[in-house]
Amino acid sequence: GQQLNQSPQSMFIQEGEDVSMNCTSSSIFNTWLWYKQDPGEGPVLLIALYKAGELTSNGRLTAQFGITRKDSFLNISASIPSDVGIYFCAGFPSSGAGSYQLTFGKGTKLSVIP
Amino acid sequence: DVKVTQSSRYLVKRTGEKVFLECVQDMDHENMFWYRQDPGLGLRLIYFSYDVKMKEKGDIPEGYSVSREKKERFSLILESASTNQTSMYLCASTLTKVGSEQYFGPGTRLTVT
């Protein structure tokens, strides 16, 4: 199936720093979702995006639906230790047999150094 | 709040056993999904269901079956567990078929020995 390219694969940052990660695709997506997963737990939905150019915030998290509809970005401001985890992007392609199935990125593993 | 629950957080089963993983959602969602998650392979779709008694194969259905007798409940069945089915199993649900938010359960860590 389709793949989303998520980068970076991992990040080590100091507490208080801002974080950016992104997800790209070779095809157009209709919906972008961002999740956080803690070890041994299921992914938790952070932000959902439905329109090209849309910018949505959830506390210190901000995500954007790229204008080309082929990418999305997640920013975390002023990171804190509890931000540690794996962040996944996911999306629904705009057409084709896979348009009803969520496509996932491989995740960005975030480590925060106190 | 959307709630997706899974019957067990941890399971240990022997090779050849029949295994049932249960998932329940309380938001009247139409669609339910079963994934497995393995290091380096990410999330892979096993089966999904768009309606009661309806099921469709995902990317890796071999060795699994599913049952959806009620709208809120979606079961994953391993007919004869094998060691390569040791994994984290995640259930999810969405309100509509396309483009809506997908909510996950807490996961079941299954070990087959």
Side-chain angles (χ1 to χ4, degrees), chain B residues 20-37:
Chain B
F20 293 87
L21 303 182
E22 301 264 314
C23 175
V24 177
Q25 49 91 8
D26 67 355
M27 286 303 293
D28 202 34
H29 281 179
E30 299 278 329
N31 315 300
M32 298 186 74
F33 305 80
W34 275 107
Y35 297 89
R36 63 177 284 178
Q37 186 179 33

Side-chain angles (χ1 to χ4, degrees), chain B residues 50-63:
Chain B
Y50 289 140
D51 202 352
V52 175
K53 296 192 187 294
M54 181 273 183
K55 61 186 178 186
E56 286 202 30
K57 293 178 180 178
D59 299 321
I60 51 163
E62 296 78 20

Side-chain angles (χ1 to χ4, degrees), chain B residues 2 5-6 15 17 27-28 31 59 61 65-66 70 72 76:
Chain B
V2 177
T5 57
Q6 296 183 227
T15 301
E17 279 193 81
M27 286 303 293
D28 202 34
N31 315 300
D59 299 321
S65 62
V66 290
K70 293 184 178 181
E72 68 271 18
L76 179 70

Side-chain angles (χ1 to χ4, degrees), chain A residues 77-91:
Chain A
S77 63
S79 58
I80 59 177
S82 62
D83 290 334
V84 165
I86 300 177
Y87 292 80
F88 289 98
C89 62

